[in-house]
C-alpha cells in the first residue's frame, strides 16, 4: 500500500485541479464533464462498463502474454543465431515504423471483428519493447565474461544459457515494465477500428452520442488497468529475478 501512496496523491491532485477548472471555467458537460459526472456515469451503467471491461481485460492479458513470449523468444534467437539476427532485425525495425492505426484496419479485415484481431494488435504492440530491451540486454554482456567463458569447455549454447541469459533478465524485466501500460492501448485501438464489445467500443459509441462522461469513465478504467498491470509486473519481477539489483 505504501508503494501506491505517491500515485494516489498524484491522482488526488489531478482530480482537485480538474474540479477547480470546472468551477472556474464552467464548460458544457459534453465538452468536459466533472469528476462527479464521471462517477455518476459509473453509477448509471455499472453492468455495461463491467462487462465491456472484461472483454478488454481478456484481450490485453492474452496480448501481453503472447507479445512478451514472442518478444523474448525472438531476442533469444537473435542472440543465439547472429546470422538470423542480422537478417531479421532490419525487418523488425521496418515493421515497427508502421503506425498502429495503419495496421489495425488490416487486422480487422484479415481476422474479423472478434477478439482475435484485438489480441493480435495488443501482441504486436507488446512485442517490440520486449524484444528490443531483451536483445539489448543479451548483446551487452560484459566481453570479459565472454572471454573468460571461452577459456573453459562451455559451448556457445551453454554460455548463452548460464551467462548471457541470467545477466540479461533485468533488461527483459525493463521491457515488460515498458510494455505493460501499452497492453490496454493495443486492445482498445483494435476495438476502435471495429468491434461489438470492449472499452474501445464503449468510447466510440459514447462519443458518437456526445456522452463525454461515459468516455471519461471508460478512460478511467483503462488507466486503472494500465496501473494494475504495471504493478503486477513490478511485484513479480523480484520473485522471477531474485538476483536483480533493482526490484
Amino acid at each position: 500500500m505504501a508503494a501506491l501512496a505517491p500515485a494516489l496523491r498524484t491522482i488526488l491532485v489531478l482530480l482537485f485541479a480538474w474540479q477547480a477548472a470546472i468551477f472556474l471555467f464552467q464548460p458544457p458537460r459534453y465538452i468536459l464533464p466533472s469528476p462527479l459526472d464521471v462517477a455518476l456515469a459509473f453509477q448509471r451503467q455499472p453492468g455495461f462498463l463491467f462487462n465491456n471491461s472484461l472483454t478488454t481485460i481478456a484481450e490485453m492479458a492474452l496480448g501481453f502474454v503472447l507479445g512478451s513470449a514472442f518478444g523474448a523468444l525472438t531476442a533469444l534467437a537473435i542472440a543465439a543465431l547472429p546470422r538470423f539476427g542480422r537478417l531479421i532485425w532490419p525487418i523488425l525495425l521496418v515493421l515497427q515504423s508502421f503506425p498502429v492505426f495503419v495496421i489495425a484496419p488490416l487486422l480487422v479485415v484479415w481476422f474479423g471483428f472478434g477478439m482475435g484481431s484485438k489480441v493480435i494488435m495488443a501482441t504486436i504492440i507488446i512485442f517490440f519493447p520486449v524484444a528490443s530491451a531483451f536483445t539489448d540486454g543479451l548483446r551487452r554482456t560484459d566481453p570479459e565474461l565472454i572471454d573468460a567463458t571461452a577459456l573453459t569447455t562451455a559451448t556457445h549454447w551453454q554460455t548463452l544459457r548460464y551467462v548471457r541469459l541470467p545477466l540479461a533478465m533485468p533488461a527483459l524485466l525493463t521491457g515488460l515494465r515498458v510494455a505493460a501500460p501499452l497492453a490496454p492501448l493495443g486492445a482498445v485501438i483494435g476495438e476502435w477500428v471495429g468491434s461489438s464489445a470492449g472499452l474501445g467500443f464503449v468510447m466510440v459509441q459514447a462519443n458518437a452520442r456526445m456522452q463525454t462522461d461515459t468516455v471519461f469513465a471508460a478512460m478511467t478504467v483503462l488507466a486503472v488497468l494500465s496501473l494494475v498491470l504495471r504493478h503486477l509486473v513490478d511485484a513479480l519481477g523480484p520473485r522471477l529475478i531474485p538476483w536483480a539489483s533493482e526490484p
Side-chain angles (χ1 to χ4, degrees), residues 7-118:
L8 292 175
R9 285 196 295 268
T10 301
I11 292 172
L12 289 175
V13 170
L14 291 175
L15 288 175
F16 178 79
W18 180 2
Q19 185 61 56
I22 296 294
F23 178 77
L24 290 174
F25 302 105
Q26 298 183 353
R29 290 184 179 181
Y30 67 88
I31 293 180
L32 182 63
S34 68
L36 180 59
D37 293 329
V38 177
L40 291 176
F42 279 106
Q43 185 180 9
R44 285 198 312 268
Q45 43 195 350
F48 177 70
L49 289 170
F50 178 76
N51 291 333
N52 283 281
S53 297
L54 291 180
T55 300
T56 300
I57 289 172
E59 294 166 353
M60 62 177 273
L62 288 172
F64 184 77
V65 171
L66 293 175
S68 300
F70 286 135
L73 291 175
T74 301
L76 286 172
I78 291 173
L81 306 169
R83 291 183 180 178
F84 172 77
R86 288 191 293 270
L87 173 66
I88 197 66
W89 196 247
I91 298 175
L92 294 178
L93 291 178
V94 171
L95 293 176
Q96 189 177 11
S97 67
F98 291 160
V100 291
F101 284 101
V102 173
I103 300 174
L106 293 175
L107 294 178
V108 172
V109 171
W110 293 339
F111 300 100
F113 287 87
M115 183 179 291
S117 58
K118 286 69 178 176

Side-chain angles (χ1 to χ4, degrees), residues 38-210:
V38 177
L40 291 176
F42 279 106
Q43 185 180 9
R44 285 198 312 268
Q45 43 195 350
F48 177 70
L49 289 170
F50 178 76
N51 291 333
N52 283 281
S53 297
L54 291 180
T55 300
T56 300
I57 289 172
E59 294 166 353
M60 62 177 273
L62 288 172
F64 184 77
V65 171
L66 293 175
S68 300
F70 286 135
L73 291 175
T74 301
L76 286 172
I78 291 173
L81 306 169
R83 291 183 180 178
F84 172 77
R86 288 191 293 270
L87 173 66
I88 197 66
W89 196 247
I91 298 175
L92 294 178
L93 291 178
V94 171
L95 293 176
Q96 189 177 11
S97 67
F98 291 160
V100 291
F101 284 101
V102 173
I103 300 174
L106 293 175
L107 294 178
V108 172
V109 171
W110 293 339
F111 300 100
F113 287 87
M115 183 179 291
S117 58
K118 286 69 178 176
V119 171
I120 294 173
M121 186 75 255
T123 299
I124 292 172
I125 289 182
I126 295 298
F127 170 85
F128 288 109
V130 174
S132 298
F134 198 23
T135 299
D136 188 59
L138 290 167
R139 285 175 171 173
R140 290 181 178 274
T141 306
D142 191 342
E144 294 184 0
L145 288 176
I146 302 296
D147 294 338
T149 306
L151 299 176
T152 68
T153 59
T155 65
H156 170 73
W157 296 100
Q158 289 173 328
T159 301
L160 176 63
R161 178 180 177 183
Y162 296 108
V163 178
R164 298 178 67 186
L165 179 59
L167 292 175
M169 290 301 288
L172 174 60
L173 180 58
T174 297
L176 294 175
R177 285 170 170 164
V178 172
L182 300 177
L185 175 64
V188 168
I189 288 176
E191 292 169 353
W192 281 343
V193 174
S195 66
S196 58
L199 292 173
F201 168 77
V202 172
M203 295 168 69
V204 170
Q205 296 296 314
N207 189 60
R209 297 179 174 89
M210 301 190 73

